[in-house]
Amino acid sequence: MAGVPLAWYLILSAILFALGIAGFLFRRNLITMFMSIELMLNAVNLSFVAFSYKFGRVDGQIFTFFVMVVAAAEAAVGLAIILAVFRTRKTLAVDEIDSLKY
Amino acid sequence: MSQYYTSTDHFVLIPALMLALFGCAVLLFDFLIFPHPKQRKWLIVFLIIGEIFTGAGLWRQQSFLSSYGLNELTAFNGTLTIDGFALFFNWLFVLLSVLVAIVSYRYLEIENEHHGEYYGLILLAQCGMFFMATGTDLITLFLGLELTALSFYVMVGFLRTQKRSNEAAMKYLLLGAFSSGLLVYGFSLFYGLSGSTKIVDVADALAAREPGDPLVVLAMAAVAVGVLFKVSAAPFHMWAPDAYEGAPTTITAFLATGSKAASFAFLMRIFLGPLESARPTWEPLLIGAAVLSLFIGNIAAVTQTNVKRLLAYSSISHAGYILLGLIAGNETGLIGVAVYVAVYAFMTLGAFLVLVALRRRDLIGEDIEDLAGLMESSPGYAVLMLIFMLSLAGIPPTAGFIGKYYILLALIQTGHYTLAVIAAVFVAVAIYYYFRIVRAMFVSERKETAPLASTFGIKVALAVSGVLTLGIGIYPDPFLRMAGFSLIR
């Protein structure tokens, strides 16, 4: 990492995070939205690792491991729920899943 | 015991250990020891034993603190802190979990669903809540939040074959995961600003920055939006009505009370910890969110016909009131937050429990019309529902009045006169829609003749929440003393 300034990592992380938010807000497919959330979490990981390297401390990297674990658990639960939704409705477009509204 | 796991660490961790162990054990016992459907009732007994062990751990911690005159006890090198605040919220979670568990048996039978996972997930969710109220490190707080949220995603979608439940789980999952992403991005900036994940160090590092530092503002905004999602404050409330309506009613009761209380504990830990020094920056943001929550929650509730959805909007407006206590920020306001959260939990739980009793075979019992003539058919339930509605509206002598009194008093003490007036005006709006339910029960003609699905568990749970709602309103002193003990610092 010698030579690459910290700011570049942070800018990359911010760009990835913004892409994740944009994907979540503008895509209307359940799986794509879910992948956008994973992208947001990975952007967070990048920023943690970059800070951790700068400080020469290990706790940021530990946080990264926990974020990865949480992302994996979320994917397991999330895909199961998406599967259940698909079974009852035969669609993955969020706009068509709208029976709850007033 | 080594330097990595001292006896103090163990002492502090016992309640969470018990919850996690019993949670996993319930999952195993479900098919190993109680394979026959008739034996599933024993799972509730097992859950209650787990809660007794948890309560014993909390009791020992509380007596340890008071006998040595300590304010707090930290463990794991400062990542967990047992103080009055953590104890107050953990007692609340124990009570709520037990009450939700004992009403669930009949409901699950009617819905024809599994039992083991359900009780296991309640315990695991409560384990997460323990860390949300007790954690003083960004990692523990985040993990507690996620453990709670993941358990709730599954529980909201527990009725797998029902479209509504699936959809509710999906919406809750997507928005919950999204808000967690925002929150943890803010946490990464906290870490970058301070070089530590302990909230004490983060608080020091943020206080050393000059006010209005763009990085602090960015971190604060990301964290604030994430937390406001979790407490379902407007404009980040969209998931709440859908999740509340689609979830099994017993879980809605737990989501609206336990998860909400835990989220507010989390919010207090963050906003009175790392973000305390940035108060001038976040105060306008929270004022906006609180006023908008009052407005949207109360106005949208007026037109609802589904009681669960109506109570969801009412819970959004209550989130607004609780935020006002934090905005006032003096001692009265912070005690007011604890008082309001607990009182809100008791009365909302009670209102949802009446709906649980209304769920019978072939009858969903969630519309206001389903409550018609309840006074005639089962007067006990109708009177209890009346008490909960009066309390939700904030009318004396019920507990809801004490909560609103504290919040309004704190706002006046700190000179937020406009906010106090707004908060008081919306009480009038709230009375209108709560009394639509009351009118249906007492005035409308009775339509449904099927008897209520009342069990011993429902009766006990309703009696407890009814007694607490009315008791705190009539004789608040002991409760207020407990809440006063819960101040952070």
Coordinates of all heavy atoms in Angstrom, one line a residue, chain B residues 263-350:
Chain B
S263 N -34.1 -0.5 20.1 CA -33.6 0.5 19.2 C -33.4 1.9 19.9 O -32.4 2.6 19.6 CB -34.5 0.7 18.0 OG -34.7 -0.5 17.3
F264 N -34.3 2.2 20.8 CA -34.1 3.5 21.5 C -33.0 3.4 22.4 O -32.3 4.4 22.6 CB -35.4 3.9 22.2 CG -36.3 4.7 21.3 CD1 -37.4 4.3 20.7 CD2 -35.9 6.0 21.0 CE1 -38.2 5.0 19.9 CE2 -36.7 6.8 20.2 CZ -37.8 6.3 19.6
A265 N -32.7 2.2 23.1 CA -31.6 2.1 23.9 C -30.3 2.3 23.1 O -29.4 3.1 23.5 CB -31.6 0.7 24.6
F266 N -30.3 1.7 21.9 CA -29.2 1.9 21.0 C -29.0 3.4 20.6 O -27.9 3.9 20.7 CB -29.5 1.0 19.8 CG -28.4 1.0 18.7 CD1 -27.4 0.1 18.7 CD2 -28.5 1.9 17.6 CE1 -26.5 0.0 17.7 CE2 -27.5 1.9 16.7 CZ -26.5 0.9 16.7
L267 N -30.1 4.0 20.3 CA -30.1 5.4 19.9 C -29.5 6.3 21.0 O -28.7 7.1 20.8 CB -31.5 5.8 19.5 CG -31.7 7.2 19.0 CD1 -32.8 7.2 18.0 CD2 -32.2 8.2 20.1
M268 N -29.9 6.0 22.3 CA -29.4 6.8 23.4 C -27.9 6.5 23.6 O -27.2 7.5 23.9 CB -30.1 6.4 24.7 CG -31.6 6.6 24.6 SD -32.1 8.2 25.2 CE -32.0 7.9 27.0
R269 N -27.5 5.3 23.5 CA -26.1 5.0 23.6 C -25.2 5.7 22.6 O -24.1 6.2 22.9 CB -25.8 3.5 23.4 CG -26.2 2.6 24.6 CD -25.1 2.5 25.6 NE -25.4 1.6 26.7 CZ -25.1 1.7 27.9 NH1 -24.4 2.8 28.3 NH2 -25.4 0.8 28.8
I270 N -25.7 5.9 21.4 CA -25.0 6.5 20.3 C -25.1 8.1 20.5 O -24.1 8.8 20.5 CB -25.5 6.2 18.9 CG1 -25.3 4.7 18.7 CG2 -24.8 7.0 17.8 CD1 -23.9 4.3 18.5
F271 N -26.3 8.6 20.7 CA -26.4 10.0 20.7 C -26.0 10.7 22.0 O -25.6 11.8 21.9 CB -27.9 10.4 20.4 CG -28.2 10.4 18.9 CD1 -28.5 9.2 18.3 CD2 -28.1 11.6 18.2 CE1 -28.8 9.2 16.9 CE2 -28.4 11.6 16.8 CZ -28.7 10.4 16.2
L272 N -26.0 10.0 23.1 CA -25.5 10.5 24.3 C -24.0 10.1 24.5 O -23.4 10.6 25.4 CB -26.3 10.1 25.5 CG -27.7 10.5 25.5 CD1 -28.5 10.0 26.7 CD2 -27.8 12.0 25.4
G273 N -23.5 9.2 23.6 CA -22.1 8.9 23.7 C -21.3 9.6 22.7 O -21.0 10.8 22.9
P274 N -20.9 9.0 21.6 CA -20.0 9.6 20.6 C -20.6 10.9 20.1 O -19.8 11.9 19.8 CB -20.0 8.6 19.5 CG -20.5 7.3 20.0 CD -21.3 7.6 21.2
L275 N -21.9 11.0 19.9 CA -22.4 12.2 19.2 C -22.9 13.3 20.2 O -23.4 14.3 19.7 CB -23.6 11.8 18.4 CG -23.3 11.0 17.1 CD1 -24.5 10.5 16.4 CD2 -22.4 11.9 16.2
E276 N -22.6 13.2 21.5 CA -23.0 14.2 22.4 C -22.4 15.5 22.1 O -23.1 16.6 22.1 CB -22.6 13.8 23.9 CG -22.9 14.8 25.0 CD -24.4 15.0 25.1 OE1 -25.2 14.2 24.7 OE2 -24.8 16.1 25.7
S277 N -21.2 15.5 21.7 CA -20.5 16.8 21.4 C -21.0 17.5 20.1 O -20.9 18.7 19.9 CB -19.0 16.7 21.3 OG -18.7 15.7 20.3
A278 N -21.6 16.6 19.2 CA -22.1 17.2 18.0 C -23.6 17.6 18.1 O -24.3 17.7 17.1 CB -22.0 16.2 16.9
R279 N -24.1 17.8 19.3 CA -25.5 18.1 19.5 C -26.0 19.2 18.7 O -27.1 19.1 18.1 CB -25.7 18.4 21.0 CG -27.2 18.7 21.4 CD -27.4 18.8 22.9 NE -27.8 17.6 23.5 CZ -29.1 17.2 23.7 NH1 -30.0 18.0 23.1 NH2 -29.4 16.1 24.3
P280 N -25.3 20.4 18.5 CA -25.8 21.5 17.7 C -26.1 21.0 16.3 O -27.0 21.5 15.6 CB -24.7 22.5 17.7 CG -23.9 22.2 18.9 CD -24.0 20.8 19.1
T281 N -25.3 20.0 15.8 CA -25.5 19.5 14.4 C -26.7 18.6 14.3 O -27.5 18.7 13.3 CB -24.3 18.8 13.9 OG1 -23.2 19.1 14.7 CG2 -24.0 19.0 12.4
W282 N -26.9 17.7 15.3 CA -28.0 16.7 15.1 C -29.3 17.2 15.6 O -30.3 16.7 15.3 CB -27.6 15.3 15.6 CG -27.2 15.1 17.0 CD1 -25.9 14.9 17.4 CD2 -28.0 15.1 18.2 NE1 -25.9 14.7 18.8 CE2 -27.1 14.8 19.3 CE3 -29.4 15.2 18.5 CZ2 -27.6 14.7 20.6 CZ3 -29.8 15.1 19.8 CH2 -28.9 14.9 20.8
E283 N -29.3 18.2 16.5 CA -30.5 18.6 17.1 C -31.6 19.0 16.0 O -32.7 18.5 16.1 CB -30.3 19.8 18.1 CG -31.3 19.7 19.2 CD -31.0 20.6 20.3 OE1 -30.9 21.8 20.1 OE2 -30.9 20.1 21.5
P284 N -31.2 19.9 15.0 CA -32.2 20.3 14.0 C -32.7 19.0 13.3 O -33.9 18.9 13.0 CB -31.5 21.2 13.1 CG -30.2 21.5 13.7 CD -30.0 20.6 14.8
L285 N -31.8 18.1 13.0 CA -32.2 16.9 12.2 C -33.2 16.1 13.0 O -34.3 15.7 12.5 CB -30.9 16.0 12.0 CG -31.0 14.9 11.0 CD1 -30.8 15.4 9.6 CD2 -30.0 13.9 11.3
L286 N -33.0 15.9 14.3 CA -33.9 15.1 15.1 C -35.2 15.9 15.3 O -36.3 15.2 15.4 CB -33.3 14.8 16.5 CG -32.2 13.6 16.5 CD1 -32.1 13.1 17.9 CD2 -32.6 12.5 15.5
I287 N -35.1 17.2 15.5 CA -36.4 18.0 15.6 C -37.2 17.7 14.4 O -38.4 17.5 14.5 CB -36.1 19.5 15.8 CG1 -35.5 19.7 17.2 CG2 -37.4 20.3 15.7 CD1 -35.1 21.1 17.5
G288 N -36.6 17.8 13.2 CA -37.4 17.6 12.0 C -38.0 16.2 12.0 O -39.2 16.0 11.7
A289 N -37.2 15.2 12.3 CA -37.7 13.8 12.3 C -38.8 13.6 13.3 O -39.8 13.0 13.0 CB -36.6 12.8 12.6
A290 N -38.7 14.2 14.5 CA -39.7 14.1 15.5 C -41.0 14.7 15.1 O -42.1 14.1 15.2 CB -39.2 14.7 16.8
V291 N -40.9 16.0 14.6 CA -42.2 16.7 14.2 C -42.8 15.9 13.1 O -44.1 15.7 13.0 CB -41.9 18.1 13.9 CG1 -43.1 18.8 13.3 CG2 -41.4 18.9 15.1
L292 N -42.0 15.5 12.1 CA -42.6 14.7 11.0 C -43.2 13.4 11.4 O -44.2 13.0 10.9 CB -41.5 14.5 9.9 CG -41.9 14.3 8.5 CD1 -42.6 15.6 8.0 CD2 -40.7 14.0 7.6
S293 N -42.6 12.8 12.4 CA -43.2 11.5 12.9 C -44.5 11.8 13.5 O -45.5 11.0 13.3 CB -42.3 10.9 13.9 OG -41.0 10.7 13.4
L294 N -44.6 12.9 14.3 CA -45.9 13.2 15.0 C -46.9 13.5 13.9 O -48.0 13.0 14.0 CB -45.7 14.5 15.8 CG -44.9 14.3 17.1 CD1 -44.8 15.7 17.8 CD2 -45.6 13.3 18.0
F295 N -46.5 14.2 12.9 CA -47.4 14.6 11.8 C -47.9 13.4 11.0 O -49.1 13.0 11.0 CB -46.8 15.6 10.9 CG -47.7 16.1 9.8 CD1 -48.7 17.0 10.1 CD2 -47.6 15.6 8.5 CE1 -49.5 17.4 9.1 CE2 -48.4 16.1 7.5 CZ -49.4 17.0 7.8
I296 N -46.9 12.6 10.4 CA -47.3 11.5 9.6 C -48.0 10.4 10.4 O -49.0 9.9 10.0 CB -46.0 11.0 8.9 CG1 -45.6 12.0 7.8 CG2 -46.3 9.6 8.2 CD1 -44.4 11.6 7.1
G297 N -47.4 10.1 11.5 CA -48.0 9.0 12.4 C -49.5 9.3 12.7 O -50.3 8.5 12.5
N298 N -49.7 10.5 13.2 CA -51.1 10.8 13.6 C -52.0 11.0 12.5 O -53.2 10.6 12.5 CB -51.1 12.1 14.5 CG -50.6 11.8 15.9 OD1 -51.0 10.8 16.5 ND2 -49.6 12.5 16.3
I299 N -51.6 11.7 11.4 CA -52.5 12.0 10.3 C -52.8 10.7 9.6 O -54.0 10.4 9.2 CB -51.9 13.0 9.3 CG1 -51.7 14.3 10.1 CG2 -52.8 13.2 8.2 CD1 -52.9 14.9 10.7
A300 N -51.8 9.8 9.3 CA -52.1 8.6 8.5 C -52.9 7.6 9.3 O -53.7 6.8 8.7 CB -50.8 8.0 8.1
A301 N -52.8 7.7 10.6 CA -53.6 6.7 11.4 C -55.1 7.0 11.4 O -55.9 6.0 11.5 CB -53.1 6.8 12.9
V302 N -55.4 8.2 11.1 CA -56.9 8.6 11.1 C -57.7 7.7 10.1 O -58.8 7.3 10.5 CB -57.0 10.1 10.8 CG1 -58.5 10.5 10.6 CG2 -56.5 10.9 12.0
T303 N -57.1 7.5 9.0 CA -57.9 6.8 7.9 C -57.8 5.3 7.9 O -58.4 4.6 7.1 CB -57.5 7.3 6.5 OG1 -56.1 7.1 6.4 CG2 -57.8 8.8 6.4
Q304 N -57.0 4.7 8.8 CA -56.8 3.2 8.8 C -58.0 2.5 9.2 O -58.7 2.9 10.1 CB -55.6 2.8 9.7 CG -54.3 3.5 9.3 CD -53.9 3.2 7.9 OE1 -54.1 2.1 7.4 NE2 -53.3 4.2 7.2
T305 N -58.2 1.3 8.6 CA -59.3 0.4 9.0 C -58.7 -0.8 9.7 O -59.4 -1.5 10.4 CB -60.2 0.0 7.9 OG1 -59.4 -0.5 6.8 CG2 -61.0 1.2 7.3
N306 N -57.5 -1.1 9.4 CA -56.8 -2.3 10.0 C -56.2 -1.9 11.3 O -55.4 -0.9 11.3 CB -55.8 -2.8 9.0 CG -55.1 -4.1 9.5 OD1 -54.5 -4.1 10.6 ND2 -55.2 -5.1 8.8
V307 N -56.6 -2.5 12.4 CA -56.1 -2.0 13.7 C -54.6 -2.2 13.8 O -53.9 -1.3 14.4 CB -56.8 -2.8 14.8 CG1 -56.3 -2.3 16.2 CG2 -58.3 -2.7 14.7
K308 N -54.0 -3.3 13.2 CA -52.5 -3.4 13.3 C -51.8 -2.3 12.6 O -50.8 -1.7 13.1 CB -52.1 -4.7 12.7 CG -52.2 -5.9 13.7 CD -52.2 -7.2 13.0 CE -50.8 -7.8 12.8 NZ -50.9 -9.1 12.1
R309 N -52.4 -1.9 11.5 CA -51.8 -0.8 10.7 C -52.0 0.5 11.5 O -51.1 1.4 11.5 CB -52.4 -0.7 9.4 CG -51.5 -0.4 8.3 CD -52.1 -0.4 6.9 NE -51.3 0.3 6.0 CZ -50.2 -0.2 5.4 NH1 -49.8 -1.5 5.7 NH2 -49.4 0.5 4.6
L310 N -53.1 0.7 12.1 CA -53.4 1.9 12.9 C -52.4 2.0 14.0 O -51.8 3.1 14.2 CB -54.8 1.8 13.4 CG -55.4 3.1 14.1 CD1 -56.9 3.1 13.9 CD2 -55.1 3.1 15.5
L311 N -52.2 0.9 14.7 CA -51.3 0.9 15.8 C -49.8 1.1 15.3 O -49.0 1.7 16.0 CB -51.3 -0.4 16.6 CG -52.6 -0.5 17.5 CD1 -52.7 -1.9 18.1 CD2 -52.6 0.5 18.6
A312 N -49.5 0.7 14.1 CA -48.2 0.9 13.5 C -48.0 2.4 13.4 O -46.9 3.0 13.7 CB -48.0 0.2 12.2
Y313 N -49.0 3.1 12.8 CA -48.8 4.6 12.6 C -48.8 5.2 14.0 O -48.0 6.2 14.2 CB -49.9 5.1 11.8 CG -49.7 4.9 10.3 CD1 -50.4 4.0 9.6 CD2 -48.7 5.6 9.7 CE1 -50.2 3.8 8.2 CE2 -48.4 5.4 8.3 CZ -49.2 4.5 7.6 OH -48.9 4.3 6.3
S314 N -49.6 4.7 15.0 CA -49.5 5.3 16.3 C -48.1 5.1 16.9 O -47.6 6.0 17.6 CB -50.6 4.7 17.1 OG -50.1 4.0 18.2
S315 N -47.5 4.0 16.6 CA -46.2 3.7 17.2 C -45.2 4.7 16.5 O -44.2 5.1 17.2 CB -45.8 2.3 17.0 OG -44.8 2.1 16.1
I316 N -45.4 5.1 15.3 CA -44.5 6.1 14.6 C -44.6 7.4 15.4 O -43.6 8.1 15.6 CB -44.8 6.2 13.1 CG1 -44.5 4.9 12.4 CG2 -44.1 7.4 12.5 CD1 -45.1 4.8 11.0
S317 N -45.9 7.8 15.7 CA -46.0 9.0 16.4 C -45.4 9.0 17.8 O -44.9 10.0 18.3 CB -47.5 9.4 16.4 OG -48.2 8.7 17.4
H318 N -45.5 7.8 18.4 CA -44.9 7.7 19.8 C -43.4 7.8 19.7 O -42.8 8.4 20.6 CB -45.3 6.4 20.4 CG -46.7 6.4 20.9 ND1 -47.1 7.2 21.9 CD2 -47.8 5.7 20.6 CE1 -48.4 7.0 22.1 NE2 -48.8 6.1 21.3
A319 N -42.8 7.3 18.6 CA -41.4 7.5 18.3 C -41.0 9.0 18.3 O -40.0 9.4 18.8 CB -40.9 6.8 17.1
G320 N -41.9 9.8 17.7 CA -41.7 11.2 17.7 C -41.7 11.8 19.1 O -40.8 12.6 19.4
Y321 N -42.6 11.4 19.9 CA -42.6 11.9 21.3 C -41.3 11.5 22.0 O -40.7 12.3 22.8 CB -43.8 11.3 22.1 CG -45.1 12.0 21.8 CD1 -46.1 11.3 21.1 CD2 -45.3 13.3 22.2 CE1 -47.3 11.9 20.8 CE2 -46.5 13.9 21.9 CZ -47.5 13.2 21.2 OH -48.7 13.9 20.9
I322 N -40.9 10.3 21.8 CA -39.7 9.8 22.6 C -38.5 10.6 22.1 O -37.6 11.0 22.9 CB -39.5 8.3 22.4 CG1 -40.7 7.5 22.9 CG2 -38.2 7.9 23.1 CD1 -40.7 6.1 22.6
L323 N -38.4 10.9 20.8 CA -37.3 11.7 20.3 C -37.3 13.1 20.9 O -36.2 13.7 21.1 CB -37.4 11.8 18.7 CG -36.9 10.6 17.9 CD1 -37.1 10.8 16.5 CD2 -35.5 10.2 18.2
L324 N -38.5 13.6 21.1 CA -38.6 15.0 21.7 C -37.9 15.0 23.1 O -37.3 16.0 23.5 CB -40.0 15.4 21.9 CG -40.7 15.8 20.5 CD1 -42.2 16.2 20.8 CD2 -40.0 17.0 19.9
G325 N -38.0 13.9 23.9 CA -37.4 13.8 25.2 C -35.9 13.9 25.0 O -35.2 14.6 25.8
L326 N -35.3 13.2 24.0 CA -33.9 13.3 23.8 C -33.5 14.7 23.3 O -32.4 15.2 23.7 CB -33.5 12.3 22.7 CG -32.0 12.2 22.3 CD1 -31.2 11.8 23.5 CD2 -31.8 11.3 21.2
I327 N -34.3 15.4 22.5 CA -34.0 16.7 22.1 C -34.0 17.7 23.3 O -33.1 18.5 23.3 CB -35.1 17.2 21.0 CG1 -34.9 16.4 19.7 CG2 -35.0 18.7 20.8 CD1 -36.1 16.4 18.8
A328 N -34.9 17.5 24.2 CA -34.9 18.4 25.4 C -33.6 18.2 26.1 O -32.9 19.1 26.5 CB -36.1 18.1 26.3
G329 N -33.2 16.9 26.3 CA -31.8 16.6 26.7 C -31.5 16.8 28.2 O -30.4 16.5 28.6
N330 N -32.4 17.5 29.0 CA -32.0 17.6 30.4 C -32.4 16.4 31.1 O -32.8 15.4 30.5 CB -32.7 18.9 30.9 CG -34.2 18.7 30.9 OD1 -34.7 17.8 30.3 ND2 -34.9 19.7 31.5
E331 N -32.2 16.4 32.4 CA -32.4 15.2 33.2 C -33.9 14.7 33.1 O -34.1 13.5 32.9 CB -32.1 15.4 34.7 CG -31.9 14.1 35.5 CD -31.3 14.4 36.9 OE1 -30.3 15.1 37.0 OE2 -32.0 14.0 37.8
T332 N -34.8 15.6 33.2 CA -36.2 15.2 33.0 C -36.5 14.6 31.7 O -37.2 13.6 31.6 CB -37.1 16.5 33.1 OG1 -36.6 17.4 34.1 CG2 -38.5 16.1 33.5
G333 N -35.9 15.1 30.6 CA -36.1 14.6 29.3 C -35.5 13.2 29.2 O -36.2 12.3 28.6
L334 N -34.3 13.0 29.7 CA -33.7 11.6 29.6 C -34.5 10.6 30.4 O -34.7 9.5 30.0 CB -32.2 11.7 29.9 CG -31.5 12.6 29.0 CD1 -30.0 12.6 29.4 CD2 -31.6 12.3 27.5
I335 N -34.9 11.0 31.6 CA -35.7 10.1 32.4 C -37.0 9.9 31.6 O -37.5 8.7 31.6 CB -36.0 10.6 33.8 CG1 -34.7 10.7 34.6 CG2 -37.0 9.8 34.6 CD1 -34.9 11.3 36.0
G336 N -37.5 11.0 31.0 CA -38.8 10.9 30.3 C -38.7 9.9 29.1 O -39.6 9.1 28.9
V337 N -37.5 9.8 28.5 CA -37.4 8.8 27.4 C -37.5 7.4 28.0 O -38.3 6.6 27.4 CB -36.0 9.0 26.7 CG1 -35.7 7.8 25.8 CG2 -35.9 10.2 26.0
A338 N -36.8 7.1 29.1 CA -36.9 5.7 29.7 C -38.4 5.5 30.1 O -38.9 4.4 29.8 CB -36.0 5.6 30.9
V339 N -39.0 6.5 30.8 CA -40.4 6.3 31.2 C -41.3 6.0 30.0 O -42.1 5.1 30.0 CB -40.9 7.6 32.0 CG1 -42.3 7.5 32.2 CG2 -40.1 7.7 33.3
Y340 N -41.1 6.9 29.0 CA -42.0 6.8 27.8 C -41.8 5.4 27.1 O -42.8 4.8 26.7 CB -41.8 7.9 26.9 CG -43.0 8.3 26.0 CD1 -43.7 9.4 26.2 CD2 -43.4 7.4 25.1 CE1 -44.8 9.7 25.4 CE2 -44.5 7.6 24.3 CZ -45.2 8.8 24.5 OH -46.3 9.1 23.7
V341 N -40.6 5.0 26.9 CA -40.3 3.7 26.2 C -41.0 2.6 27.0 O -41.7 1.8 26.4 CB -38.8 3.5 26.1 CG1 -38.6 2.0 25.7 CG2 -38.2 4.4 25.1
A342 N -40.9 2.5 28.3 CA -41.4 1.4 29.1 C -42.9 1.5 29.0 O -43.6 0.5 28.8 CB -40.9 1.5 30.5
V343 N -43.5 2.7 29.3 CA -44.9 2.8 29.3 C -45.5 2.5 27.9 O -46.5 1.8 27.8 CB -45.3 4.3 29.7 CG1 -46.6 4.7 29.2 CG2 -45.1 4.5 31.2
Y344 N -44.9 3.0 26.9 CA -45.3 2.7 25.5 C -45.3 1.2 25.3 O -46.3 0.7 24.7 CB -44.4 3.4 24.5 CG -44.4 2.8 23.1 CD1 -45.3 3.2 22.2 CD2 -43.4 1.9 22.8 CE1 -45.4 2.6 21.0 CE2 -43.5 1.3 21.5 CZ -44.4 1.6 20.6 OH -44.5 1.0 19.4
A345 N -44.3 0.5 25.8 CA -44.2 -0.9 25.6 C -45.4 -1.6 26.2 O -46.0 -2.5 25.6 CB -42.9 -1.4 26.1
F346 N -45.7 -1.3 27.5 CA -46.8 -2.0 28.1 C -48.1 -1.7 27.4 O -48.9 -2.7 27.2 CB -46.9 -1.5 29.6 CG -45.7 -1.7 30.4 CD1 -45.2 -0.8 31.3 CD2 -44.9 -2.9 30.2 CE1 -44.1 -1.0 32.1 CE2 -43.8 -3.1 30.9 CZ -43.3 -2.2 31.9
M347 N -48.4 -0.5 27.1 CA -49.7 -0.3 26.5 C -49.9 -0.8 25.1 O -50.9 -1.3 24.8 CB -50.1 1.2 26.6 CG -49.2 2.2 25.9 SD -49.5 3.8 26.6 CE -48.5 4.8 25.5
T348 N -48.8 -0.7 24.3 CA -48.9 -1.2 22.9 C -49.0 -2.7 23.0 O -49.7 -3.3 22.2 CB -47.7 -0.7 22.1 OG1 -47.5 0.7 22.3 CG2 -47.8 -1.1 20.7
L349 N -48.2 -3.3 23.8 CA -48.3 -4.8 24.0 C -49.7 -5.2 24.3 O -50.2 -6.1 23.7 CB -47.3 -5.3 25.1 CG -47.2 -6.8 25.2 CD1 -46.3 -7.3 24.1 CD2 -46.6 -7.2 26.5
G350 N -50.3 -4.5 25.3 CA -51.7 -4.9 25.7 C -52.6 -4.8 24.5 O -53.4 -5.7 24.3

